[in-house]
Amino acid sequence: MGWRSIDRRAPGALRENRGHAPPGPHPLTSAALQPTQERIDALNAEAYACRHEDTRRALALCRQASALAQSIDYVRGQAYALLRTALCEFILARDHERCKSRVQHSLTLLRSLADRAGEAEALNLLGTVHSARAEHDDATVAHRQALVLRQALNDVAGQAGSLNNLAISLRRLAHQGEAVDCLRQSLALAQQVGDVRAAGYARLNLGLVFLDQDDPEPAAEHLGQALIDVHSTTDRALECSVHTALARTRLLQGECDAAQRHLQQARVLALATGDIGDLTRVQLAWGEVEQAMGRLPAAEAQLRAALATLRRLQDREIEADTLRLLAHNLWLQNQAAPALSLLGEALALATAQAQPNVAAQVHRLASDIHEALGDPAASLRHFRAYHVLMQPQQRSQRETNRQLAAALEAAQQAERRKDEALVALERQTEQLRQLTREDGLTGVANRRWLDLQLPREYERSRRFGHAFSLAMIDIDDFKAVNDRLSHAVGDSVLRGVAQLLRHSCRGSDLVARYGGEEFVVLMAETAAADALRTAEKLRRAVQAHDWASLHPGLPAVTISIGVGSWDPAADSECTARDVLAAADRQLYLAKQGGKNRTCG
Ligand code: GH3
Ligand code: MG
Ligand code: MG
C-alpha cells in the first residue's frame, strides 16, 4: 500500500501518503554490469517500485546502488539510494532516528544538486518521520516546504499527497479547521487529476476530522463518498478504514445496528489484508458499540483485548484513547477509582505522544467523574484543562462552540485580574459547563449529555433493582408552525415546550432535547404506571398552555408521547437502548392513533 496510517485515533485513522514522488528519473534500461549512472538510477527506480511489495529486496537494491554510486562518485545516485533506504527502513518501522538522519543527509545532497523533485520527496518523507516521532511542528514545516516545491513543479498529485499529510499533523496539533481546509484542497486536486484513491484518502481523513468534532453528518457524507471511491480501487486497507470510520459515525448517530454491519465488513477486510493494527481498531470500535448498547462487560472484554494487542505491537498511536474508552466503560459500571487510575495513565501517554485532542477528552471524563464523586475542585481543574486544550479546535466548530470559545477567553481575562478573578472564573467555568451540557436553543440538556447519562442512570437503576422509564416526546404538526408563521416562532415554541416539560416533571428527572422537535425525559427509579401518569401530566400541561399569548394566531400546540420502561422483574438482557427503542415505538403508535396522546 502506498499510504500508511500513522495517526489513528480509536478506532479510525488518518492515513498518510508515505512517499508520493515519481520513482526516480529513469526506468530500468539495461542489465549492464558496469557501474554506470543509468544502472544506478535503474536500481534506485526499481527499489522504489517494489518498496511495499518486497521491502527487503528494495533495501538490498538500495545498498547495491549506494555502493556503485560511491565507486564512481555519482552524487545524485548516492542521494536517491540514501533516500530510498530511509523510505524502506521507515516502512519496516526500523530505527526512526537513523532514518531521519539518512533523509536529512539525502536532502542536503539533493539541494546541492538543485533536484527539486527529489527535494520534495525527501521533505515528504522527513515530515512523515517527524509525525511518527510525534514531532508535529517539525512535520508541518517539512510538509509545507514539500507542498511549495510541488506547486512550483506543477506536480498536482504530489500536492494532493502533501496536503493530506499536512492535515494529519495539523489535526494532531488540534488545528482541526486548518486540517479540514487542507483536506478539501487535497480532495479537489485529487479529483482534478482523476486520482480516485487519493480522493478516497482525503475523504476518509475528512470524515475522521469531523468525527473528532462529534459532527456525524458531514462525516457520513464524506465517508459514504469515500466508500464509492474505494470500490474502484484495489486498496482493501483503505476500504477497511472507511468501514471502521462509518461504524463510528453510525454510532454517533445512535444507529448501533448499522455500526455493527460496517464493523463486520471492516473485520473481513482486515482479516484479508492481515493487518493486525486494522483488526485491533475494528475490535476497539466493537467495544464502543457494545458500550453504547449497554453491554458493558462485553465492551470491557473487547477493549481490554484490543489494549493487549496494541501493547504487544507497541502501537502507541491509539493506546491513550483506548485507555480512555476503558475508563469510561468502568465509570459506567460505577467503578470510579479504577477508571480514574486508567485516566491518569491515558493522560501521561497522550502527553508523551503529543495528542492534545485525546488529552482533552481524558480531562473531560475525569472532570465528570470527580464531579460525581463530590470533588468540585478536582472536577474544575480537569474542566479547565479540557477547555484550554480544546481552544484551537473550537474555532472551527459550530455556533455553540464559538460561544464556548468566547466565554473561555472572557474567563481567561478574568483570571488575570487578580482579586475577583477566582470567583469570576468559577462562574464563567460553570457557564461553560452548562453550555457543554445544555441545548443552546431550549436550555434543557443536549443530546451529548443525554447519551452520557442514559446508560449511567439505567445501569444505576438496574444495580439497585429499581425500575427505569423514559418518555420520548414529539411536537405534533410542528412543521406547519414553521411554514405558516416563521422559524423564529417555531424556535419560541420549542423553548416554550422545553420549559413546560421541565416544570411539569420531578427535579430528579432529566429533560433533554433529542433532536429537532423531539425531547426525551429520563425517569430513574420510576415504574411504567407512574411514568405514564407523568407523561400524561406533561401532555396536558402543553395542551393547556395559552399559546396564542406567544404569538397571535398560533394555534394550540400539542405533543405525542411514547413511554418505555424496564422492570427489575423482567428481561435481564434489555439495554438502555432497548428502552429508548420501545419508547420510540410507542411514540409511533401515539402518532398513528391521532396525535396529542400518550402510549406506553
Ligand atoms: P408530526 O406531527 O408527524 O410529528 O409532524 P411534524 O410536522 O411535527 O414533523 P416533521 O418531522 O415533518 O417536521 C419537524 C419539523 O421540525 C421540521 C423541521 O424544519 C423543524 N425543526 C427541527 N429543528 C428545528 C429548530 O431548531 N427550529 C425550528 N424552528 N424548527 C425546527
Ligand atoms: Mg419528529
Ligand atoms: Mg413532530
Side-chain angles (χ1 to χ4, degrees):
M1 61 178 184
W3 306 65
R4 174 178 178 263
S5 64
I6 64 144
D7 180 16
R8 311 222 256 184
R9 189 172 164 237
L14 289 190
R15 282 188 175 261
E16 174 145 353
N17 180 350
R18 194 196 286 135
H20 156 74
H26 298 286
L28 189 58
T29 49
S30 76
L33 294 171
Q34 295 294 355
T36 61
Q37 294 193 351
E38 286 76 14
R39 174 152 170 70
I40 293 162
D41 289 342
L43 285 168
N44 278 328
E46 202 183 338
Y48 187 87
C50 71
R51 68 198 185 283
H52 289 300
E53 287 67 32
D54 192 348
T55 315
R56 280 168 217 286
R57 175 161 170 263
L59 259 181
L61 290 167
C62 292
R63 217 167 287 134
Q64 221 182 323
S66 174
L68 294 178
Q70 269 178 24
S71 76
I72 61 166
D73 247 352
Y74 176 34
V75 179
R76 187 175 153 78
Q78 182 67 24
Y80 274 94
L82 260 173
L83 178 54
R84 302 282 155 75
T85 302
L87 178 56
C88 291
E89 286 183 343
F90 187 78
I91 293 170
L92 293 171
R94 294 222 183 127
D95 185 355
H96 285 165
E97 186 59 48
R98 199 176 51 181
C99 176
K100 192 165 92 175
S101 73
R102 279 199 217 279
V103 186
Q104 274 159 341
H105 186 187
S106 78
L107 190 59
T108 311
L109 295 177
L110 289 161
R111 278 181 176 151
S112 74
L113 296 165
D115 179 340
R116 292 199 294 171
E119 187 182 343
E121 184 188 337
L123 284 165
N124 186 55
L125 181 56
L126 185 61
T128 304
V129 177
H130 278 308
S131 275
R133 293 165 51 93
E135 297 159 353
H136 303 297
D137 283 314
D138 292 337
T140 59
V141 171
H143 285 307
R144 279 189 213 281
Q145 287 176 342
L147 181 62
V148 169
L149 281 172
R150 286 170 168 176
Q151 279 164 344
L153 292 165
N154 210 14
D155 172 6
V156 178
Q159 289 168 55
S162 286
L163 284 161
N164 186 69
N165 296 350
L166 181 56
I168 291 172
S169 301
L170 288 169
R171 177 195 176 218
R172 276 312 238 358
L173 292 165
H175 297 306
Q176 297 342 57
E178 277 179 81
V180 168
D181 290 343
C182 287
L183 289 169
R184 288 218 164 99
Q185 287 180 53
S186 175
L187 177 60
L189 293 174
Q191 286 171 334
Q192 188 183 319
V193 290
D195 188 338
V196 185
R197 189 155 157 275
Y201 275 97
R203 293 245 194 223
L204 166 66
N205 290 336
L206 271 168
L208 290 170
V209 176
F210 284 115
L211 279 181
D212 278 353
Q213 303 175 356
D214 288 344
D215 199 354
E217 276 78 29
E221 202 179 308
H222 285 295
L223 294 169
Q225 190 59 48
L227 202 55
I228 297 170
D229 287 343
V230 80
H231 283 149
S232 56
T233 75
T234 54
D235 192 338
R236 299 293 71 98
L238 171 59
E239 190 176 352
C240 174
S241 295
V242 173
H243 276 298
T244 309
L246 270 167
R248 292 179 55 220
T249 309
R250 295 294 172 233
L251 192 58
L252 266 184
Q253 293 175 321
E255 295 169 27
C256 292
D257 291 345
Q260 279 180 320
R261 279 196 297 279
H262 282 297
L263 287 178
Q264 267 148 6
Q265 303 210 45
R267 189 161 178 278
V268 170
L269 290 161
L271 287 170
T273 62
D275 188 322
I276 301 262
D278 282 342
L279 203 56
T280 312
R281 281 155 179 87
V282 174
Q283 189 171 36
L284 213 53
W286 266 114
E288 282 189 274
V289 174
E290 297 280 17
Q291 180 172 303
M293 295 175 86
R295 295 197 286 249
L296 302 180
E300 188 173 334
Q302 295 277 8
L303 294 173
R304 285 203 189 276
L307 184 64
T309 313
L310 289 174
R311 286 187 166 158
R312 187 163 51 77
L313 297 175
Q314 299 200 328
D315 181 344
R316 316 306 296 269
E317 296 295 329
I318 55 169
E319 191 178 335
D321 212 33
T322 306
L323 286 167
R324 179 186 65 82
L325 288 169
L326 201 50
H328 188 191
N329 200 65
L330 287 171
W331 184 51
L332 289 174
Q333 296 174 82
N334 288 296
Q335 298 182 38
L340 283 174
S341 129
L342 281 185
L343 286 180
E345 269 183 70
L347 193 59
L349 244 176
T351 310
Q353 295 289 306
Q355 296 176 310
N357 47 350
V358 177
Q361 300 307 323
V362 171
H363 280 300
R364 188 162 80 173
L365 181 54
S367 169
D368 285 345
I369 296 178
H370 281 298
E371 191 193 18
L373 292 178
D375 184 351
S379 172
L380 195 63
R381 206 170 53 239
H382 283 291
F383 198 68
R384 277 189 202 137
Y386 160 67
H387 274 287
V388 168
L389 289 167
M390 289 295 283
Q391 218 183 340
Q393 295 185 19
Q394 283 174 358
R395 255 172 258 138
S396 68
Q397 291 190 12
R398 292 161 297 173
E399 191 50 38
T400 49
N401 292 349
R402 273 200 290 279
Q403 287 175 358
L404 273 174
L408 177 69
E409 225 170 273
Q412 284 175 334
Q413 272 176 11
E415 199 169 28
R416 277 177 232 119
R417 265 187 260 116
K418 293 253 166 106
D419 282 351
E420 315 116 345
L422 203 62
V423 183
L425 187 61
E426 297 201 354
R427 200 174 45 233
Q428 298 268 14
T429 310
E430 186 47 39
Q431 283 168 3
L432 290 182
R433 186 192 301 281
Q434 297 288 328
L435 279 170
T436 55
R437 290 176 183 183
E438 274 182 22
D439 172 51
L441 178 68
T442 61
V444 297
N446 60 21
R447 176 70 183 266
R448 186 185 88 81
W449 192 242
L450 174 72
D451 286 344
L452 279 171
Q453 294 305 310
L454 175 59
R456 262 190 80 198
E457 290 298 329
Y458 180 68
E459 276 308 310
R460 209 198 305 268
S461 293
R462 279 173 67 106
R463 236 163 27 99
F464 295 110
H466 294 146
F468 174 88
S469 294
L470 60 82
M472 188 117 175
I473 298 164
D474 187 291
I475 304 180
D476 295 326
D477 302 315
F478 182 64
K479 197 169 174 302
V481 176
N482 278 335
D483 292 350
R484 281 207 235 115
L485 299 164
S486 68
H487 246 75
V489 176
D491 285 352
S492 302
V493 169
L494 284 171
R495 274 191 290 266
V497 168
Q499 286 304 316
L500 287 167
L501 295 179
R502 199 148 61 173
H503 292 133
S504 310
C505 60
R506 278 190 291 179
S508 57
D509 296 338
L510 176 76
V511 178
R513 184 164 175 213
Y514 190 69
E517 26 78 81
E518 289 165 20
F519 297 86
V520 164
V521 180
L522 286 194
M523 293 174 267
E525 299 178 25
T526 307
D530 286 334
L532 272 171
R533 260 193 296 283
T534 303
E536 261 300 290
K537 196 166 105 194
L538 301 177
R539 189 192 63 74
R540 280 198 302 272
V542 172
Q543 187 182 24
H545 186 71
D546 176 16
W547 290 100
S549 70
L550 187 78
H551 186 87
L554 177 65
V557 174
T558 61
I559 55 177
S560 297
I561 310 182
V563 174
S565 298
W566 175 76
D567 184 317
D571 179 14
S572 62
E573 287 300 303
C574 177
T575 68
R577 286 202 175 260
D578 293 333
V579 180
L580 196 68
D584 202 25
R585 280 195 298 278
Q586 294 300 328
L587 171 60
Y588 176 77
L589 293 178
K591 291 280 185 190
Q592 290 289 303
K595 309 187 184 180
N596 189 21
R597 65 194 61 212
T598 303
C599 287

